Amino acid sequence: MSDHHLEFTFSLSPRDPFADILTAELAEAGFEMFVETPEGIKAYLSSGLDAENILDGILILKDPSLWHSLKIERIEKQNWNEEWEKNFPVVEIGEQLLIRAPFHEPGRNKYCYEIVIEPKMSFGTGHHDTTFLMAQQLLELDVQGKRVLDMGCGTGILGILAAKKGAASVVAIDIEEWAYENAKENAERNAIFNISVEKGDVNLLAGRPFQLILANINKNVLLNDLGAYSNRLEAKGELLLSGFFESDAGELAAAAGAQGLICREQKARNGWAMMYFTKPGL
């Protein structure tokens, strides 16, 4: 790690959905870590990168419907761990699941499941409402012996949870290089060896049947790929979708219904939604 990092604090109005879009664009530009705030996000950049010009290619900041302000601060290396730990509290879902970073104290058997995630980026650490909702629903399902797909896996947390719950095999796919590498590291960190982490998109699914598909991405990708998910889902299979706002649930439900999928449950948290579908049996 370099001698210091630069902390970019973005205040956004409206915050949603621009915070997620901004995070994705900054990740592409080379920002390494992100923390959500009530006003927007904090993004961290290594001192070795060109901080002066790096924001020039961030298209969302030029959107006329977004107001934003920015503050940039230098964080010295010796303060970095303290800053990092302060911004990543543990995530608890009742007494069923503890999601923690390596620097947090272990749960000491208080929870049914414990997952250790190295939070290199905020995606998929459990702090985002969509990841929380997906994990919460996954905890309610019988995963034992099933072939599972974690699509848009991020840190791999959902695939890791499925494996811990007894999945026979897990395929975790993400289009981003950082996610591909991080998911592999996190699977190893949690001693999960029946997971295949792959870099790519929906085209990797051809000819591969699954009994449970987890897709936490965004509305447009989900709408585009629902047909592929349905085709690769076995009869009586289950599909969990998230990554979209509660106000978009009707559109997702209609698209899934057109594929013959049946909505069994919908959950919401802070404006975000998760939907649980099943595929009719033979």
Side-chain angles (χ1 to χ4, degrees):
M1 187 174 285
S2 55
D3 289 336
H4 70 273
H5 273 71
L6 296 175
E7 178 186 74
F8 289 63
T9 301
F10 292 90
S11 295
L12 309 173
S13 181
R15 186 192 182 284
D16 296 320
F18 291 107
D20 284 351
I21 299 169
L22 176 58
T23 300
E25 285 199 44
L26 293 175
E28 287 288 331
F31 282 75
E32 298 172 336
M33 294 159 277
F34 305 90
V35 175
E36 295 181 354
T37 69
E39 296 77 28
I41 63 169
K42 291 184 178 182
Y44 296 90
L45 184 70
S46 170
S47 61
L49 295 178
D50 182 7
E52 221 171 276
N53 300 309
I54 201 163
L55 297 182
D56 291 348
I58 306 301
L59 298 179
I60 195 63
L61 295 178
K62 299 169 184 171
D63 190 317
S65 59
L66 171 67
W67 174 91
H68 73 277
S69 66
L70 171 63
K71 180 174 72 172
I72 302 175
E73 291 185 285
R74 174 181 169 128
I75 299 177
E76 299 302 328
K77 183 176 181 180
Q78 59 266 31
N79 296 329
W80 181 248
N81 285 343
E82 180 184 345
E83 184 72 18
W84 196 225
E85 294 180 23
K86 179 180 72 177
N87 283 312
F88 280 89
V90 300
V91 175
E92 299 170 289
I93 301 180
E95 292 189 352
Q96 289 187 285
L97 176 63
L98 172 69
I99 304 166
R100 66 176 182 86
F103 48 73
H104 293 135
E105 285 293 317
R108 307 199 186 284
N109 300 318
K110 178 184 174 184
Y111 304 87
C112 298
Y113 304 100
E114 182 170 330
I115 298 176
V116 182
I117 296 294
E118 181 70 50
K120 294 190 175 180
M121 289 189 176
S122 65
F123 305 121
T125 59
H127 294 85
H128 195 280
D129 294 305
T130 60
T131 312
F132 186 98
L133 288 167
M134 291 285 282
Q136 185 181 52
Q137 184 67 35
L138 184 54
L139 286 166
E140 298 177 13
L141 301 183
D142 179 10
V143 184
Q144 189 70 39
K146 292 184 177 177
R147 294 184 300 279
V148 177
L149 169 66
D150 181 4
M151 196 71 197
C153 64
T155 59
I157 188 170
L158 296 174
I160 291 169
L161 178 57
K164 282 181 174 282
K165 290 202 72 199
S169 62
V170 178
V171 174
I173 296 174
D174 204 290
I175 199 168
E176 301 290 352
E177 179 68 27
W178 75 263
Y180 167 70
E181 296 293 345
N182 194 221
K184 285 197 300 182
E185 293 169 7
N186 286 325
E188 185 175 342
R189 181 173 288 109
N190 288 275
I192 301 299
F193 304 111
N194 62 337
I195 187 169
S196 171
V197 182
E198 303 173 20
K199 183 175 181 289
D201 57 18
V202 73
N203 293 313
L204 292 176
L205 304 186
R208 304 167 81 172
F210 299 97
Q211 294 160 302
L212 172 62
I213 296 177
L214 314 168
N216 182 18
I217 311 179
N218 65 57
K219 184 186 80 168
N220 291 334
V221 172
L222 294 176
L223 289 171
N224 186 67
D225 294 349
L226 256 173
Y229 300 155
S230 181
N231 288 337
R232 301 324 316 154
L233 193 62
E234 292 188 355
K236 299 184 181 180
E238 299 166 295
L239 170 66
L240 272 61
L241 301 180
S242 194
F244 53 92
F245 295 113
E246 193 174 4
S247 57
D248 294 321
E251 188 176 356
L252 266 299
Q259 296 293 331
L261 301 171
I262 301 167
C263 183
R264 299 294 185 185
E265 191 165 359
Q266 178 179 329
K267 289 185 170 78
R269 191 170 190 254
N270 297 322
W272 295 93
M274 182 285 312
M275 302 185 80
Y276 167 44
F277 298 90
T278 58
K279 187 171 184 177
L282 296 174

